[in-house]
Amino acid sequence: MSDKSEPIVNRVAQSKLVTFDLEDHYPKGERVLLDIKDWLYEGIILREKEFRAFVAEHDWKQYRDAYVALHCSTDAIIPGWAYMLIATQLEPFAKKTVIGDLEQLETTIYQSIIAQLDVSEYKDRPVIIKGCTNKPVPPNAYLWITSKIQSVAKSVMYGEACSSVPLYKRK
């Protein structure tokens, strides 16, 4: 045993490893689940005249800068034009509108973000896609960013630098 103490070397800090965190791309804005069941007769029948009246009288300004998921929590059959009519009213206010639940909303938001992302800074570099998030990052976002980064990176891993799972290494 040596009396000399070896300095502790942080190999992670010295590596060329780059971390990509999907949470860094989480856009600000309220998420709203707009249930239209109360705009239907007995919650299940869409009567056009009454439905149009609800749409006309609703305060759409409350959705300014929000992300909105339109859905009906009953088993009503909603014609496509009904959601389209609502979307025309949300257009000046909401950042994005989808038909579905909040997970579908987040998935759609991330699909747009990842499609527009420039990943050239990861060219020929080892990249780790951070796994833990505090925000509702949808599972599909991890698939899409892996595919996008894989197209340029030397290698792709998942997790944290201290305990990553290798996913891809260019041959």
Side-chain angles (χ1 to χ4, degrees):
M1 204 153 142
S2 168
D3 288 346
K4 284 174 125 183
S5 295
E6 295 283 328
I8 297 173
V9 177
N10 185 340
R11 289 182 294 167
V12 171
Q14 291 179 341
S15 78
K16 294 179 180 179
L17 186 65
V18 181
T19 300
F20 180 90
D21 189 349
L22 279 164
E23 202 169 57
D24 291 344
H25 301 276
Y26 186 83
K28 292 179 181 165
E30 181 184 3
R31 273 60 169 174
V32 178
L33 186 62
L34 178 56
D35 189 350
I36 65 166
K37 74 172 171 51
D38 295 333
W39 299 359
L40 308 176
Y41 177 71
E42 294 184 358
I44 57 166
I45 299 170
L46 188 146
R47 291 181 170 169
E48 184 175 351
K49 185 176 180 182
E50 289 86 358
F51 186 81
R52 286 182 177 276
F54 276 111
V55 171
E57 295 165 11
H58 192 72
D59 176 19
W60 298 105
K61 291 181 187 104
Q62 66 183 304
Y63 304 103
R64 184 177 309 280
D65 296 327
Y67 295 91
V68 182
L70 304 174
H71 87 121
C72 183
S73 60
T74 65
D75 288 333
I77 297 171
I78 308 297
W81 67 261
Y83 290 119
M84 294 164 68
L85 180 66
I86 294 169
T88 65
Q89 298 302 308
L90 284 167
E91 178 58 32
F93 305 108
K95 288 183 179 179
K96 183 171 281 296
T97 304
V98 301
I99 298 171
D101 59 16
L102 292 175
E103 184 175 344
Q104 179 64 45
L105 178 64
E106 293 298 343
T107 300
T108 303
I109 292 168
Y110 266 97
Q111 190 171 26
S112 298
I113 289 169
I114 292 169
Q116 296 173 16
L117 211 57
D118 176 15
V119 293
S120 60
E121 69 182 277
Y122 304 108
K123 185 168 177 51
D124 299 326
R125 299 185 72 184
V127 179
I128 186 161
I129 298 171
K130 187 175 178 209
C132 298
T133 60
N134 295 314
K135 295 178 178 153
V137 176
N140 277 320
Y142 289 95
L143 300 180
W144 297 326
I145 197 59
T146 300
S147 178
K148 187 148 189 166
I149 288 176
Q150 178 181 341
S151 70
V152 298
K154 178 179 177 182
S155 64
V156 180
M157 294 162 276
Y158 171 80
E160 301 295 327
C162 60
S163 61
S164 61
V165 177
L167 301 174
Y168 166 80
K169 187 165 189 154
R170 189 183 317 132
K171 292 177 174 56

